[in-house]
Amino acid sequence: MGDRWPDPLVAELLGILDDEERRRAAAYRSADDRRRFVLAHGALRHVVAGALGAPPGEIRWTRGPHGKPEPAGRWCGVHVNLSHSGEVAMVALCPSRPVGVDVQQVLPRLDAVAMARRWFPPPEAAAVTAAPGPEARARLFARLWARKEALTKAHGGRLVEGLRVAVPPGGPPPDTPAPDAWARAYRVHDIQAPAGYRAAVAVPGGGADLAVTHHDWPGPAPP
């Protein structure tokens, strides 16, 4: 979301956002953060519009109890989710199931051990602590956090719920304690991310018919 996108394109994407999205963009103090927000949310609109055959500016959103947006009104029929971290944004789109996606920048200066001990189940916190060096600990922490946040976003719940859930890749989280047994109904998969990032996607239900494909968004088509 950096220099690849020239200012005229950022202005074009700003023009298709709705009033609430523009207010949220304007609330950022940093010009870089505003730019990232506009690029991410503009790309989201284009991806959803491309799937639905809709004009990007006509996409409307409804929000769940914890703020997760879904297409509403005339242009709907797919489940979507957006995540952005650092210079990377990811959009997940699924035609038949709620979906959650998360991307996390690997931050070696982060106190991954303290964060893992605060939020993760003891076995995962121990794994982060045992990783050989700050970079390895940061990579594992980012991978686990991305899985947990993707799971929580697919569920539409609060992040504090998902952080307590063990999240091995692939199958549903095992032995999930009550009151978080809902997590066993979901599958979590690591997905391709740029160097220095970790990402995951989650959906409810079995995984036999689940295929995850990855595409780079090239930007809006020229008029």
Side-chain angles (χ1 to χ4, degrees):
M1 291 191 293
D3 294 339
R4 172 185 173 188
W5 308 106
D7 288 341
L9 175 58
V10 178
E12 176 185 339
L13 294 177
L14 178 64
I16 66 172
L17 301 186
D18 61 27
D19 290 343
E20 180 186 355
E21 289 165 331
R22 292 192 191 100
R23 284 194 296 268
R24 291 172 62 192
Y28 284 99
R29 295 184 178 181
S30 163
D32 286 341
D33 288 340
R34 288 193 297 273
R35 179 185 179 88
R36 293 184 186 106
F37 181 94
V38 170
L39 286 168
H41 287 260
L44 171 65
R45 283 179 166 273
H46 274 277
V47 171
V48 173
L52 296 175
E58 293 186 13
I59 301 297
R60 298 294 178 262
W61 308 108
T62 184
R63 296 187 180 274
H66 301 290
K68 182 184 179 184
E70 294 285 0
R74 178 185 178 188
W75 303 108
C76 60
V78 294
H79 299 275
V80 301
N81 197 222
L82 168 68
S83 177
H84 48 95
S85 178
E87 293 296 319
V88 174
M90 288 192 172
V91 174
L93 186 149
C94 184
S96 59
R97 316 181 198 184
V99 63
V101 68
D102 192 63
V103 58
Q104 292 290 322
Q105 188 173 11
V106 176
L107 301 172
R109 294 184 179 181
L110 178 73
D111 191 343
V113 171
M115 291 285 288
R117 287 175 175 170
R118 178 178 181 183
W119 297 111
F120 293 177
E124 290 181 336
V128 172
T129 301
E135 290 199 10
R137 289 193 287 270
R139 288 194 298 268
L140 179 56
F141 178 84
R143 185 177 300 281
L144 292 170
W145 191 285
R147 292 175 185 171
K148 293 170 187 291
E149 191 152 355
L151 170 66
T152 305
K153 292 165 78 176
H155 176 59
R158 298 172 61 239
L159 182 57
V160 68
E161 297 173 327
L163 291 176
R164 296 193 298 264
V165 176
V167 282
D175 303 323
T176 308
D180 303 317
W182 57 267
R184 288 197 294 270
Y186 290 79
R187 303 187 72 86
V188 183
H189 292 263
D190 295 331
I191 54 176
Q192 179 182 342
Y197 293 83
R198 297 293 183 269
V201 66
V203 293
D209 61 341
L210 174 63
V212 179
T213 58
H214 178 274
H215 304 278
D216 290 329
W217 185 60

